[in-house]
Amino acid sequence: MRQLSQKWAQKVTVLVMVALGLGISPAWGAQPADFDQLSPLVQSRWNEDDQLLDLSWEDLIPEGFRADAILDQYDPEKIAQLTDDDPLIVEIMEKLQKAYQSAPVVGKLEGMPVRLGGYIAPLEITPEGVTEFLLVPYFGACIHVPPPPSNQIIYVKTEIPIAESLLEDAIWVSGRLSIDAADTDLALAGYTLYSEHIVPIEY
């Protein structure tokens, strides 16, 4: 009985220390605070093995938001007949650009441990490799074509440089996601991710 009582006493001591924050922290990977505030779809992407959210790019877009909704105001057949220098086309492109740059983020993802697959648009290249980049959903985004909406761009900072040989490869990036925006030379990123792990995606 004494041995049983000692075991219970130890468990109670641990619980008290956790409750008071006395040197014992919860294990990495337990579902984070406010996890239950996420949408059921996003919650379903929780990876028990890696203890993080396996996000899709659609998860970064608030429900019901469309960056190109401005096009609904115009006749698509009429737009198709216009030239690139037509004043109406110029007006539409300016409105689209503003909508893309002000695309809202999903605030409930703040601080969540996540993993997301995408491509690198490099910002900072050192002799050791890439240390800052934009993670984008498709190859060439922000470089060869106009950038996607800001909520489809993530600014990534990594302490482990990425080899330039990976610049054309799809990668998995894991870390803590923040809803802090980052205005870079290439594009406005709606999110920031502090990377802890980056690996190529193997097909």
Side-chain angles (χ1 to χ4, degrees):
M1 290 295 292
R2 177 178 295 180
Q3 184 178 6
L4 182 61
S5 298
Q6 287 177 342
K7 287 183 179 179
W8 276 105
Q10 290 173 351
K11 289 183 180 180
V12 171
T13 300
V14 170
L15 290 173
V16 170
M17 292 180 72
V18 169
L20 296 178
L22 301 178
I24 296 180
S25 7
W28 162 260
Q31 289 181 353
D34 299 328
F35 178 81
D36 59 349
Q37 299 300 310
L38 299 171
S39 71
L41 178 60
V42 175
Q43 287 188 45
S44 70
R45 303 194 195 282
W46 179 255
N47 187 311
E48 287 288 352
D49 293 332
D50 297 317
Q51 300 296 320
L52 45 72
L53 282 167
D54 275 323
L55 292 182
S56 72
W57 286 95
E58 289 77 14
D59 296 331
L60 302 177
I61 304 173
E63 186 177 355
F65 174 76
R66 283 177 47 227
D68 61 353
I70 187 69
L71 296 178
D72 296 343
Q73 303 174 17
Y74 302 90
D75 181 353
E77 293 185 2
K78 180 179 180 181
I79 293 176
Q81 297 173 2
L82 300 177
T83 60
D84 291 345
D85 59 351
D86 188 282
L88 181 57
I89 286 293
V90 174
E91 173 189 321
I92 293 173
M93 292 306 296
E94 288 177 349
K95 289 182 178 180
L96 276 175
Q97 183 177 13
K98 289 180 180 179
Y100 275 37
Q101 292 180 341
S102 61
V105 297
V106 179
K108 293 176 182 178
L109 289 173
E110 171 66 35
M112 294 289 169
V114 305
R115 174 169 52 206
L116 188 67
Y119 292 87
I120 299 172
L123 295 172
E124 182 73 21
I125 302 178
T126 69
E128 291 75 30
V130 180
T131 55
E132 295 181 37
F133 63 92
L134 299 179
L135 186 69
V136 292
Y138 51 88
F139 181 74
C142 303
I143 299 177
H144 304 299
V145 295
S150 56
N151 60 15
Q152 295 290 278
I153 304 174
I154 300 177
Y155 168 72
V156 179
K157 177 70 175 176
T158 175
E159 294 183 0
I160 302 175
I162 304 170
E164 291 188 54
S165 60
L166 292 178
L167 291 184
E168 295 185 2
D169 296 337
I171 59 170
W172 290 116
V173 181
S174 303
R176 293 282 179 180
L177 189 66
S178 168
I179 60 172
D180 292 336
D183 196 356
T184 74
D185 292 339
L186 291 181
L188 177 64
Y191 295 90
T192 296
L193 193 147
Y194 302 95
S195 173
E196 298 173 4
H197 193 53
I198 300 175
V199 294
I201 294 178
E202 298 181 359
Y203 295 99

mmCIF file of all heavy atoms in Angstrom, residues 6 8 11 13 20 34 41 57 59 71 77 79 93 103 107-108 117 124 137 139 152 155 158 163-164 177 200 202:
data_model
loop_
_atom_site.group_PDB
_atom_site.id
_atom_site.type_symbol
_atom_site.label_atom_id
_atom_site.label_comp_id
_atom_site.label_asym_id
_atom_site.label_seq_id
_atom_site.Cartn_x
_atom_site.Cartn_y
_atom_site.Cartn_z
ATOM 1 N N GLN A 6 2.998 6.021 -2.769
ATOM 2 C CA GLN A 6 4.123 6.806 -3.251
ATOM 3 C C GLN A 6 3.985 7.113 -4.737
ATOM 4 O O GLN A 6 4.274 8.218 -5.188
ATOM 5 C CB GLN A 6 5.430 6.048 -2.986
ATOM 6 C CG GLN A 6 5.840 6.030 -1.514
ATOM 7 C CD GLN A 6 7.096 5.218 -1.282
ATOM 8 O OE1 GLN A 6 7.487 4.409 -2.128
ATOM 9 N NE2 GLN A 6 7.720 5.435 -0.136
ATOM 10 N N TRP A 8 1.170 7.333 -6.435
ATOM 11 C CA TRP A 8 0.140 8.352 -6.599
ATOM 12 C C TRP A 8 0.655 9.724 -6.193
ATOM 13 O O TRP A 8 0.350 10.730 -6.823
ATOM 14 C CB TRP A 8 -1.103 7.993 -5.779
ATOM 15 C CG TRP A 8 -2.010 7.060 -6.501
ATOM 16 C CD1 TRP A 8 -2.184 5.731 -6.275
ATOM 17 C CD2 TRP A 8 -2.860 7.394 -7.601
ATOM 18 N NE1 TRP A 8 -3.078 5.193 -7.165
ATOM 19 C CE2 TRP A 8 -3.524 6.204 -7.996
ATOM 20 C CE3 TRP A 8 -3.137 8.561 -8.298
ATOM 21 C CZ2 TRP A 8 -4.422 6.153 -9.044
ATOM 22 C CZ3 TRP A 8 -4.043 8.513 -9.343
ATOM 23 C CH2 TRP A 8 -4.670 7.329 -9.706
ATOM 24 N N LYS A 11 2.651 11.121 -9.010
ATOM 25 C CA LYS A 11 1.798 11.610 -10.101
ATOM 26 C C LYS A 11 1.177 12.956 -9.752
ATOM 27 O O LYS A 11 1.120 13.863 -10.573
ATOM 28 C CB LYS A 11 0.693 10.592 -10.404
ATOM 29 C CG LYS A 11 1.194 9.321 -11.078
ATOM 30 C CD LYS A 11 0.045 8.396 -11.399
ATOM 31 C CE LYS A 11 0.534 7.119 -12.085
ATOM 32 N NZ LYS A 11 -0.571 6.200 -12.410
ATOM 33 N N THR A 13 2.375 15.160 -7.701
ATOM 34 C CA THR A 13 3.435 16.165 -7.713
ATOM 35 C C THR A 13 3.704 16.660 -9.129
ATOM 36 O O THR A 13 3.847 17.858 -9.375
ATOM 37 C CB THR A 13 4.740 15.583 -7.122
ATOM 38 O OG1 THR A 13 4.482 15.169 -5.790
ATOM 39 C CG2 THR A 13 5.847 16.630 -7.133
ATOM 40 N N LEU A 20 1.543 24.581 -12.308
ATOM 41 C CA LEU A 20 2.189 25.800 -11.841
ATOM 42 C C LEU A 20 3.320 26.251 -12.753
ATOM 43 O O LEU A 20 3.894 27.313 -12.553
ATOM 44 C CB LEU A 20 2.740 25.590 -10.419
ATOM 45 C CG LEU A 20 1.688 25.317 -9.341
ATOM 46 C CD1 LEU A 20 2.382 25.075 -8.000
ATOM 47 C CD2 LEU A 20 0.714 26.485 -9.235
ATOM 48 N N ASP A 34 -5.989 26.323 -28.462
ATOM 49 C CA ASP A 34 -6.922 26.842 -29.467
ATOM 50 C C ASP A 34 -7.048 25.932 -30.687
ATOM 51 O O ASP A 34 -7.636 26.326 -31.696
ATOM 52 C CB ASP A 34 -6.514 28.250 -29.935
ATOM 53 C CG ASP A 34 -6.520 29.260 -28.797
ATOM 54 O OD1 ASP A 34 -7.347 29.109 -27.882
ATOM 55 O OD2 ASP A 34 -5.696 30.185 -28.828
ATOM 56 N N LEU A 41 -12.296 20.734 -40.906
ATOM 57 C CA LEU A 41 -11.464 20.277 -42.015
ATOM 58 C C LEU A 41 -9.985 20.406 -41.666
ATOM 59 O O LEU A 41 -9.197 19.483 -41.889
ATOM 60 C CB LEU A 41 -11.772 21.075 -43.282
ATOM 61 C CG LEU A 41 -10.919 20.723 -44.508
ATOM 62 C CD1 LEU A 41 -11.101 19.270 -44.894
ATOM 63 C CD2 LEU A 41 -11.263 21.646 -45.677
ATOM 64 N N TRP A 57 -2.766 24.280 -49.252
ATOM 65 C CA TRP A 57 -2.784 25.718 -49.514
ATOM 66 C C TRP A 57 -4.180 26.304 -49.340
ATOM 67 O O TRP A 57 -4.329 27.468 -48.939
ATOM 68 C CB TRP A 57 -2.243 25.995 -50.925
ATOM 69 C CG TRP A 57 -0.755 25.816 -50.981
ATOM 70 C CD1 TRP A 57 -0.070 24.696 -51.363
ATOM 71 C CD2 TRP A 57 0.231 26.771 -50.602
ATOM 72 N NE1 TRP A 57 1.277 24.908 -51.246
ATOM 73 C CE2 TRP A 57 1.499 26.166 -50.787
ATOM 74 C CE3 TRP A 57 0.171 28.075 -50.130
ATOM 75 C CZ2 TRP A 57 2.698 26.832 -50.516
ATOM 76 C CZ3 TRP A 57 1.358 28.746 -49.860
ATOM 77 C CH2 TRP A 57 2.597 28.129 -50.045
ATOM 78 N N ASP A 59 -6.170 25.625 -47.016
ATOM 79 C CA ASP A 59 -6.389 25.865 -45.588
ATOM 80 C C ASP A 59 -5.958 27.263 -45.170
ATOM 81 O O ASP A 59 -6.347 27.747 -44.102
ATOM 82 C CB ASP A 59 -5.621 24.839 -44.748
ATOM 83 C CG ASP A 59 -6.120 23.422 -44.967
ATOM 84 O OD1 ASP A 59 -7.321 23.252 -45.279
ATOM 85 O OD2 ASP A 59 -5.320 22.481 -44.824
ATOM 86 N N LEU A 71 -13.745 39.966 -60.645
ATOM 87 C CA LEU A 71 -14.058 39.664 -62.047
ATOM 88 C C LEU A 71 -15.538 39.391 -62.258
ATOM 89 O O LEU A 71 -16.035 39.481 -63.388
ATOM 90 C CB LEU A 71 -13.237 38.453 -62.518
ATOM 91 C CG LEU A 71 -11.719 38.636 -62.548
ATOM 92 C CD1 LEU A 71 -11.043 37.347 -62.975
ATOM 93 C CD2 LEU A 71 -11.337 39.789 -63.482
ATOM 94 N N GLU A 77 -17.046 37.664 -71.659
ATOM 95 C CA GLU A 77 -16.920 37.694 -73.123
ATOM 96 C C GLU A 77 -16.361 39.031 -73.593
ATOM 97 O O GLU A 77 -15.543 39.090 -74.520
ATOM 98 C CB GLU A 77 -18.280 37.426 -73.775
ATOM 99 C CG GLU A 77 -18.803 36.010 -73.534
ATOM 100 C CD GLU A 77 -20.092 35.749 -74.285
ATOM 101 O OE1 GLU A 77 -20.546 36.661 -75.024
ATOM 102 O OE2 GLU A 77 -20.642 34.642 -74.152
ATOM 103 N N ILE A 79 -14.428 41.036 -71.757
ATOM 104 C CA ILE A 79 -13.031 41.104 -71.321
ATOM 105 C C ILE A 79 -12.130 40.347 -72.289
ATOM 106 O O ILE A 79 -11.024 40.787 -72.613
ATOM 107 C CB ILE A 79 -12.889 40.530 -69.896
ATOM 108 C CG1 ILE A 79 -13.616 41.430 -68.897
ATOM 109 C CG2 ILE A 79 -11.428 40.391 -69.507
ATOM 110 C CD1 ILE A 79 -13.597 40.894 -67.490
ATOM 111 N N MET A 93 -6.882 44.968 -63.781
ATOM 112 C CA MET A 93 -5.629 44.452 -63.246
ATOM 113 C C MET A 93 -5.216 45.190 -61.976
ATOM 114 O O MET A 93 -4.691 44.594 -61.033
ATOM 115 C CB MET A 93 -4.527 44.554 -64.297
ATOM 116 C CG MET A 93 -4.728 43.634 -65.496
ATOM 117 S SD MET A 93 -4.949 41.891 -65.014
ATOM 118 C CE MET A 93 -3.351 41.557 -64.265
ATOM 119 N N ALA A 103 -5.284 40.117 -49.434
ATOM 120 C CA ALA A 103 -6.003 38.866 -49.166
ATOM 121 C C ALA A 103 -5.919 38.510 -47.680
ATOM 122 O O ALA A 103 -4.825 38.488 -47.111
ATOM 123 C CB ALA A 103 -5.419 37.741 -50.009
ATOM 124 N N GLY A 107 -6.628 33.731 -39.067
ATOM 125 C CA GLY A 107 -6.005 34.119 -37.812
ATOM 126 C C GLY A 107 -5.848 32.992 -36.809
ATOM 127 O O GLY A 107 -4.922 33.008 -35.985
ATOM 128 N N LYS A 108 -6.721 31.989 -36.881
ATOM 129 C CA LYS A 108 -6.672 30.890 -35.909
ATOM 130 C C LYS A 108 -5.477 29.968 -36.124
ATOM 131 O O LYS A 108 -5.210 29.103 -35.290
ATOM 132 C CB LYS A 108 -7.981 30.094 -35.966
ATOM 133 C CG LYS A 108 -9.184 30.900 -35.485
ATOM 134 C CD LYS A 108 -10.476 30.134 -35.639
ATOM 135 C CE LYS A 108 -11.668 30.980 -35.195
ATOM 136 N NZ LYS A 108 -12.970 30.272 -35.375
ATOM 137 N N GLY A 117 3.749 21.739 -48.219
ATOM 138 C CA GLY A 117 4.584 21.492 -49.385
ATOM 139 C C GLY A 117 4.484 22.626 -50.380
ATOM 140 O O GLY A 117 3.411 23.210 -50.572
ATOM 141 N N GLU A 124 17.260 35.424 -50.082
ATOM 142 C CA GLU A 124 18.619 35.626 -49.574
ATOM 143 C C GLU A 124 19.441 34.380 -49.864
ATOM 144 O O GLU A 124 19.127 33.295 -49.394
ATOM 145 C CB GLU A 124 18.592 35.885 -48.065
ATOM 146 C CG GLU A 124 19.937 36.163 -47.441
ATOM 147 C CD GLU A 124 20.489 37.541 -47.779
ATOM 148 O OE1 GLU A 124 19.691 38.423 -48.164
ATOM 149 O OE2 GLU A 124 21.709 37.720 -47.686
ATOM 150 N N PRO A 137 2.873 28.032 -53.885
ATOM 151 C CA PRO A 137 2.194 26.777 -54.240
ATOM 152 C C PRO A 137 2.583 26.172 -55.577
ATOM 153 O O PRO A 137 2.280 25.005 -55.827
ATOM 154 C CB PRO A 137 0.712 27.172 -54.232
ATOM 155 C CG PRO A 137 0.702 28.639 -54.462
ATOM 156 C CD PRO A 137 1.952 29.170 -53.843
ATOM 157 N N PHE A 139 5.649 26.220 -59.008
ATOM 158 C CA PHE A 139 6.986 26.618 -59.442
ATOM 159 C C PHE A 139 6.916 27.894 -60.287
ATOM 160 O O PHE A 139 6.078 28.037 -61.161
ATOM 161 C CB PHE A 139 7.641 25.500 -60.253
ATOM 162 C CG PHE A 139 9.033 25.828 -60.708
ATOM 163 C CD1 PHE A 139 10.086 25.820 -59.811
ATOM 164 C CD2 PHE A 139 9.279 26.179 -62.027
ATOM 165 C CE1 PHE A 139 11.373 26.134 -60.228
ATOM 166 C CE2 PHE A 139 10.561 26.490 -62.450
ATOM 167 C CZ PHE A 139 11.611 26.477 -61.547
ATOM 168 N N GLN A 152 -1.441 33.167 -50.124
ATOM 169 C CA GLN A 152 -0.892 31.973 -50.752
ATOM 170 C C GLN A 152 0.632 32.077 -50.867
ATOM 171 O O GLN A 152 1.262 31.388 -51.671
ATOM 172 C CB GLN A 152 -1.506 31.759 -52.131
ATOM 173 C CG GLN A 152 -2.991 31.464 -52.098
ATOM 174 C CD GLN A 152 -3.288 30.082 -51.529
ATOM 175 O OE1 GLN A 152 -3.207 29.085 -52.226
ATOM 176 N NE2 GLN A 152 -3.640 30.022 -50.244
ATOM 177 N N TYR A 155 6.444 33.693 -46.062
ATOM 178 C CA TYR A 155 7.843 34.072 -45.878
ATOM 179 C C TYR A 155 8.477 33.089 -44.909
ATOM 180 O O TYR A 155 7.954 32.869 -43.808
ATOM 181 C CB TYR A 155 7.937 35.494 -45.329
ATOM 182 C CG TYR A 155 9.311 35.868 -44.834
ATOM 183 C CD1 TYR A 155 10.356 36.091 -45.725
ATOM 184 C CD2 TYR A 155 9.558 35.998 -43.468
ATOM 185 C CE1 TYR A 155 11.618 36.425 -45.272
ATOM 186 C CE2 TYR A 155 10.816 36.339 -43.005
ATOM 187 C CZ TYR A 155 11.842 36.557 -43.907
ATOM 188 O OH TYR A 155 13.092 36.885 -43.449
ATOM 189 N N THR A 158 15.075 30.367 -42.274
ATOM 190 C CA THR A 158 15.661 29.123 -41.795
ATOM 191 C C THR A 158 17.094 29.358 -41.336
ATOM 192 O O THR A 158 17.836 30.138 -41.951
ATOM 193 C CB THR A 158 15.640 28.034 -42.887
ATOM 194 O OG1 THR A 158 16.320 26.873 -42.404
ATOM 195 C CG2 THR A 158 16.315 28.497 -44.166
ATOM 196 N N ALA A 163 20.499 24.081 -49.980
ATOM 197 C CA ALA A 163 21.360 24.013 -51.157
ATOM 198 C C ALA A 163 20.636 24.577 -52.377
ATOM 199 O O ALA A 163 19.445 24.333 -52.584
ATOM 200 C CB ALA A 163 21.781 22.567 -51.413
ATOM 201 N N GLU A 164 21.367 25.343 -53.186
ATOM 202 C CA GLU A 164 20.767 25.931 -54.382
ATOM 203 C C GLU A 164 20.268 24.863 -55.356
ATOM 204 O O GLU A 164 19.397 25.132 -56.187
ATOM 205 C CB GLU A 164 21.774 26.845 -55.080
ATOM 206 C CG GLU A 164 22.084 28.108 -54.289
ATOM 207 C CD GLU A 164 22.929 29.081 -55.089
ATOM 208 O OE1 GLU A 164 22.514 29.436 -56.223
ATOM 209 O OE2 GLU A 164 24.008 29.462 -54.612
ATOM 210 N N LEU A 177 3.847 28.522 -37.576
ATOM 211 C CA LEU A 177 3.261 29.477 -38.514
ATOM 212 C C LEU A 177 2.812 30.725 -37.772
ATOM 213 O O LEU A 177 2.252 30.648 -36.677
ATOM 214 C CB LEU A 177 2.079 28.845 -39.235
ATOM 215 C CG LEU A 177 1.472 29.640 -40.400
ATOM 216 C CD1 LEU A 177 2.475 29.738 -41.550
ATOM 217 C CD2 LEU A 177 0.190 28.985 -40.885
ATOM 218 N N PRO A 200 13.190 17.619 -49.245
ATOM 219 C CA PRO A 200 12.555 17.501 -50.564
ATOM 220 C C PRO A 200 11.339 16.566 -50.500
ATOM 221 O O PRO A 200 11.299 15.644 -49.693
ATOM 222 C CB PRO A 200 13.658 16.879 -51.430
ATOM 223 C CG PRO A 200 14.926 17.091 -50.686
ATOM 224 C CD PRO A 200 14.562 17.092 -49.238
ATOM 225 N N GLU A 202 9.434 13.601 -51.937
ATOM 226 C CA GLU A 202 9.766 12.439 -52.756
ATOM 227 C C GLU A 202 8.490 11.856 -53.336
ATOM 228 O O GLU A 202 7.569 11.498 -52.615
ATOM 229 C CB GLU A 202 10.501 11.395 -51.911
ATOM 230 C CG GLU A 202 11.832 11.882 -51.358
ATOM 231 C CD GLU A 202 12.541 10.822 -50.546
ATOM 232 O OE1 GLU A 202 11.967 9.728 -50.404
ATOM 233 O OE2 GLU A 202 13.654 11.090 -50.067
#
